[in-house]
Amino acid sequence: MTGLASAGGWGLLAGSALLLGALFGYLARVPSGVVAAVMAFGSGVLLSAVSFELIAEAHEIGGLLPTSLGALVGALIYTGANLALARHGARHRKRSGSQQPSEPEQPGSGTAIALGALLDGVPESIVIGISLLGGGGVGVTTVAAVFISNVPEGLSSASGMRRAGRGRGYVFGMWGGIAVISGVAAATGYGLLGGVSGEVLAAITALAAGAMLAMIADTMIPEAFESAHMWIGVITVVGFLTAFGISRLEQ
């Protein structure tokens, strides 16, 4: 299998967890406390991957300045795009309660939510493709972290979409499409960045990491805190240590 196809396959695998989570969230009546706890776990997993895999690797390749600038730019880009989408109804796209607006309440919110979900998923997929550069195998920790965290993201968001009256076609079509786009984004990351310098690669890796950190703080932790605030710290740490343990085993 070529590197491009391999990157696309791993990205698709990680993205498919969104659809898996959406199936549980839409078809099953998952208690809000369980959704929040799983979201807290997923937040911890991603925080660990960003810290020990992405930021650390970017620093090793390119140094402190490209890493810091890339992460800050990534956070600013994500936040700016997220603010724009929030004005059109995508602010609570990962909330499992009744926070999401329905289409009659806010026309165009369905499109905004889909674009917001795409905004959340693309940086994760790009770093999966980047992890294959250099001739080595895929970053198992990165793929595992994205997969594990995508399940609660899809679960919580689909639960909120059901409450907002969105149909199965919209929910599963959206998450299925984003899973496919995740594969394309991973392949694109691999195909376009293979020949860049270490500093550029570090900056792009850090940019994706900064966007992911902003996403965790803005869309995942609020959902976790609302129903599991007494235990969110412990659950998040368990997720963090789980991803850290996977990274140590990989070595």
Side-chain angles (χ1 to χ4, degrees):
M1 181 182 293
T2 66
L4 200 66
S6 179
W10 285 112
L12 179 61
L13 174 64
S16 67
L18 290 165
L19 184 58
L20 178 64
L23 285 169
F24 282 106
Y26 194 91
L27 300 178
R29 303 288 175 173
V30 183
S32 59
V34 174
V35 174
V38 177
M39 188 67 85
F41 182 84
S43 298
V45 167
L46 273 187
L47 284 170
S48 181
V50 169
S51 301
F52 293 107
E53 296 296 314
L54 304 184
I55 293 294
E57 181 177 347
H59 178 264
E60 183 178 345
I61 294 173
L64 180 61
L65 184 59
T67 300
S68 301
L69 289 176
L72 182 59
V73 170
L76 288 171
I77 291 173
Y78 177 88
T79 300
N82 197 41
L83 286 172
L85 291 169
R87 298 191 185 99
H88 298 281
R91 179 72 182 90
H92 300 296
R93 59 186 175 272
K94 288 185 181 173
R95 307 301 293 273
S96 61
S98 57
Q99 299 95 335
Q100 289 188 32
S102 64
E103 196 65 25
E105 290 173 337
Q106 188 165 357
S109 58
T111 300
I113 289 171
L115 290 174
L118 190 61
L119 173 68
D120 298 336
V122 166
E124 301 172 345
S125 302
I126 290 174
V127 297
I128 289 174
I130 291 175
S131 73
L132 279 162
L133 295 175
V138 70
V140 175
T141 303
T142 303
V143 174
V146 173
F147 186 94
I148 292 169
S149 65
N150 276 348
V151 172
E153 287 184 47
L155 190 156
S156 181
S157 184
S159 179
M161 290 174 187
R162 184 192 65 224
R163 289 176 180 269
R166 302 191 188 279
R168 296 184 182 185
Y170 169 86
V171 174
F172 300 135
M174 186 193 82
W175 290 120
I178 290 175
V180 173
I181 293 172
S182 296
V184 173
T188 301
Y190 177 88
L192 293 182
L193 301 175
V196 300
S197 66
E199 289 78 8
V200 173
L201 187 61
I204 293 174
T205 301
L207 187 146
M212 290 167 66
L213 278 173
M215 181 270 291
I216 295 165
D218 196 72
T219 66
M220 294 182 71
I221 290 178
E223 170 65 18
F225 181 80
E226 181 162 320
S227 298
H229 58 277
M230 296 299 294
W231 290 98
I232 181 176
V234 173
I235 298 170
T236 302
V237 169
V238 171
F240 185 95
L241 292 174
T242 299
F244 179 72
I246 294 173
S247 70
R248 297 305 95 181
L249 290 174
E250 187 180 1
Q251 294 178 357

